[in-house]
Structures are given as structure tokens and as C-alpha cells.
Amino acid sequence: MGSVKVTACCRQLFLPHARALALTTKMASSGNIICSLRRNLSSSSRLRSSMPAWVIDEYGNNGVLRFTEDATAPSVNSASEVLIQVHAASLNPLDISMRRGYGSNLLKLRRDPVSLGQNGGEFPIILGRDVSGVVLDCGSGVTHFKPGDEVWAAIPPWKQGSLAEMVNLTEYEVSHKPRSLSHREAASIPYVAATALSALVNAGGLCRDNCTNKRVLITGASGGVGTFSIQLLKAWGAHVTVTCSHNAEGLVRGLGADEVVDYTAGDVATELGLMEKFDVILDNVGGDSEQWALGLLKSWSGAKYVTLVTPFLLNIDSMGLLEGAVHSGLNLHQKAITNMCNGVFYRWGFYAPDGPALDEVSQLVDAGKILPVVEDTFLFSQVPLAFQKVERGHARGKTVVTVAQEEEGTGVTEEEGETSDTPEQVREEVRSKSGLTV
């Protein structure tokens, strides 16, 4: 996808006595003790050494989540870094998996290359891959952002996450937040957008210039990645067929799905087999679906099967870095060759954070082409409950955590001008069909 970077904002030079930013963050520990925090932050990044956050000190179930006010606070340490005050975060199935230790071998090595063979050195870990917030400080080489900018981002899995007061990212991982969305709404999009774009564009070969009338099948379409992919593909002109349960049909049709197959109503493979074959399949389910889905692709026409359920990190976790990587590579190579002989391409899709790609998503959001789908919202004091909600599965959109108190009027202000009525009209239509907050 051709990414168009937002016009650069020139960062102003600060005086030694730079203006202070007032941060008021509503916190609560697992014992429901709520405190109001107010901090003075200078442009020189000489911030306090600790901050409130939810951390894990070991891998396991929900009981390993721990609230602390003494998590190490990030600061700007290189020219390309951007320090963000977190206003809202959201949870994804990846957070549940990472809490259990999924990908820990490779991620620990990525965090600290000298940690190979060591146990426990990665803790404490802050989870949360989505962030929407406000820039507090920037490195000297940052040209696209300045303190006070409202931004959003998908956080790489090896970096400390957004279930904290602040997060530190590079300029290339950050994008300006859509002006039409609140922080709560915006936090529901970055991770699923990054995952969907990586799968559909990098692995699936689709883009806005070649998608018209392409037939795309999305399995497991009612979750975050599925609901985003439906909207993106429809904005690009594709014909979209999805599988989901019957109680999610209103949601996916409201987002634009052309055909919906209820996987609980019968043999989904047989029903899909009666349809015209597909150019691209995005598989969010994995398991047995791979066995029947590949036969639904158009042979010898460049059709691609892309699965987001891969054994790569699981193999590295169980076999070790070298053996797991080699085993995964051989497995992918064998499947790719086998299916290429049948006239279709077999690909793995991965989560790949990309700030410039989010710039283009932001434009689609502000144009009313893509809407946030928020199933549930939790306070920062309720993070364990939010994890329980995501862990139950059968998502109908995203689960959001509000970290900072959001003032009325967040989004487009009077000075910034008014947005079109179209996004609100579409949101109301989808809301009425699905019963969700859209």
C-alpha cells in the first residue's frame, strides 16, 4: 500500500524553563484505591523515574497481573523517539498469549540480545499493543510530531506496552490520530490495522489500486482484525464474504460484508464451495479451516491463502531459537511448494507495526470509510476484568481500557473545524444493526 506521510510538523525549540504539561491520570489498584496524579514534564525528558502501570513479573494466568505505581518511566533517549502520555489502550488476543509466555524466547532476545540463555531477565513486562494519546516529548531528530500532538500507534511486541501512564516509541511507529475519533475509539484500531495491512497487502498482494471486484473470504470475521478488514476491503472496492456465528451477522453486514456464512448452522466448507471461487482468503481461525479453505481459491490465477495462525513462535518457544526457526521455515516451504503445484500461493501473515501505514488509515477513518468497533470499555483499575473479557473469546469488536480521563470535545475542536456528518450517520446505522458501540 502506498503510504503518504503526513506533512511534517516543525518541532519548536524549547527554552531551559520550558512550559510544563499538566498530567492528571485517574488510577486505581486492584484494591480499588484511586489516586489523582499530577506531574510536571519538561522538554529535556528529565522525567520522574516511576509511573503507574499494570505489569507481569512471570508468565501465567490472570493472577500474574499486578498494579504498581513504581514501574520504570520511559524517557526520550535517542533522536528519533517520541514519548506519549497514554489516554487509552486496547487489548488483543496477543496480550493474552504474551501473558502466558507466547513468543517469550524470541521477544526476550529482541529486547536484549545478550540475554540468550538467561531466564526471567525480561520482567517486569507491560502488556498492551494499542495506544492513543498525546505527545509529551520528542527527540531532536523528530520532524513529524511535537509536544501536544494527538497520536496513535501499534506497539511492537518486544517493547513495553500501553497499560501504563506513558509509552516510548520511535517516530516511524507513530501516526497522527484521526481527528474525528476520541482516544477511546482510536485505541481500538492500530493493532488490527497493522495486522490486517500486513496480511492483506504484504502477504496477500492487495491494495487500493488492484482490489476492485476481487473476491475475498475472511474466516472468523467478527473480531478486531476481521471487522477492520471488511471495512478496508470494501473501501478498496472488493467483494467480501465472511464466516461468523449467527449473532454477529448484523455487525458484519453493517460494516459492509456482501455475503455471510454462519459456521454454526451447518457445513461451512460445503456452503462456501457452492460459491464462486476466491482471489484471496484471510484466515483468522486456523486449525482445520486450512484443509478446506485452500480448495476455495481460483487456481492458476495468482490467488493467495494467508493465515494469521502460524506455528512460528510456538515452535521457537518449544524447540528453541535455532531449531524452532528452522522447523518453521521448512514447514512453510513445504506447504508453499505443495500449494504452488496446485496453482495457489500459501502465505503466513504477521503483525507488523507501521506508522506511515496508519497515516493512510487515519485518512480513511476521517472520511467515514472505516469505523471503530468497540465492544466493551474498562477503567484502568479494571484491567484484570478486561483480560478476562478478551480471554472468553467470541469477540464482537475490541475491548478498550481508558487510562487517562478524557475531556469533552476530544477529537475535532471548534478551531479545527467540523467534520462531515457521514461518519456519524454510518455509525448510527451500524449501531442499530449490531447493538455495539461503533
Side-chain angles (χ1 to χ4, degrees), residues 41 45 47-52 69-77 83 126 164-168:
L41 304 175
S45 292
L47 307 177
R48 65 191 184 281
S49 60
S50 62
M51 67 175 178
E69 293 190 44
D70 298 318
T72 301
S75 60
V76 171
N77 295 310
L83 181 66
I126 302 173
E165 187 181 14
M166 293 179 288
V167 66
N168 198 26

Side-chain angles (χ1 to χ4, degrees), residues 13 43 63 93 149 249 251 270 274 278 289 292 303 310 324 326 336 355-356 403 416 430 438:
L13 296 177
S43 64
D149 284 353
E249 181 173 353
L251 170 63
T270 299
L274 298 175
F278 299 95
S289 62
W292 51 260
T310 77
V326 171
V403 178
E416 291 171 323
V430 176
V438 181

Side-chain angles (χ1 to χ4, degrees), residues 171-204:
E171 177 180 22
Y172 315 106
E173 294 160 346
V174 181
S175 170
H176 287 94
K177 179 182 75 68
R179 296 166 68 243
S180 58
L181 298 187
S182 67
H183 287 293
R184 183 185 72 88
E185 295 170 319
S188 69
I189 293 177
Y191 171 85
V192 297
T195 304
L197 287 169
S198 175
L200 295 172
V201 178
N202 299 340

Side-chain angles (χ1 to χ4, degrees), residues 209-227:
D209 297 324
N210 69 2
C211 222
T212 303
N213 296 325
K214 286 285 180 66
R215 289 182 53 81
V216 181
L217 169 65
I218 304 173
T219 64
S222 63
V225 173
T227 54

Side-chain angles (χ1 to χ4, degrees), residues 191-392:
Y191 171 85
V192 297
T195 304
L197 287 169
S198 175
L200 295 172
V201 178
N202 299 340
L206 298 175
C207 67
R208 60 185 174 187
D209 297 324
N210 69 2
C211 222
T212 303
N213 296 325
K214 286 285 180 66
R215 289 182 53 81
V216 181
L217 169 65
I218 304 173
T219 64
S222 63
V225 173
T227 54
F228 178 87
S229 298
I230 292 169
Q231 298 180 84
L232 179 68
L233 291 167
K234 292 308 298 179
W236 286 351
H239 180 282
V240 180
T241 301
V242 305
T243 68
C244 63
S245 64
H246 67 280
N247 57 7
E249 181 173 353
L251 170 63
V252 297
R253 286 197 184 277
L255 295 173
D258 296 289
E259 297 179 84
V260 180
V261 176
D262 177 7
Y263 68 80
T264 67
D267 188 344
V268 63
T270 299
E271 186 169 351
L272 289 169
L274 298 175
M275 300 180 180
E276 182 182 345
K277 290 188 179 295
F278 299 95
D279 297 287
V280 174
I281 295 176
L282 176 59
D283 187 358
N284 294 295
V285 177
D288 295 337
S289 62
E290 182 176 311
Q291 299 176 10
W292 51 260
L294 284 158
L296 302 175
L297 289 167
K298 299 176 181 177
S299 298
W300 306 109
S301 63
K304 300 175 181 68
Y305 168 86
V306 182
T307 179
L308 290 171
V309 186
T310 77
F312 180 68
L313 290 179
L314 289 175
N315 286 341
I316 290 179
D317 289 339
S318 61
M319 302 177 186
L321 183 61
L322 181 59
E323 185 180 353
V326 171
H327 183 83
S328 298
L330 291 174
N331 179 270
L332 176 60
H333 179 75
Q334 180 182 14
K335 289 187 175 184
I337 293 299
T338 300
N339 286 287
M340 194 178 298
C341 293
N342 295 326
V344 298
F345 293 97
Y346 179 95
R347 303 277 172 81
W348 287 353
F350 295 96
Y351 165 50
D354 185 349
L358 283 179
D359 289 341
E360 198 159 330
V361 173
S362 182
Q363 295 175 13
L364 290 171
V365 171
D366 282 336
K369 301 286 188 179
I370 292 177
L371 309 173
V373 184
V374 179
E375 183 179 16
D376 214 339
T377 304
F378 292 83
L379 299 174
F380 193 50
S381 60
Q382 300 174 314
V383 163
L385 295 178
F387 269 82
Q388 290 177 8
K389 163 67 182 64
V390 176
E391 199 161 9
R392 287 196 294 269

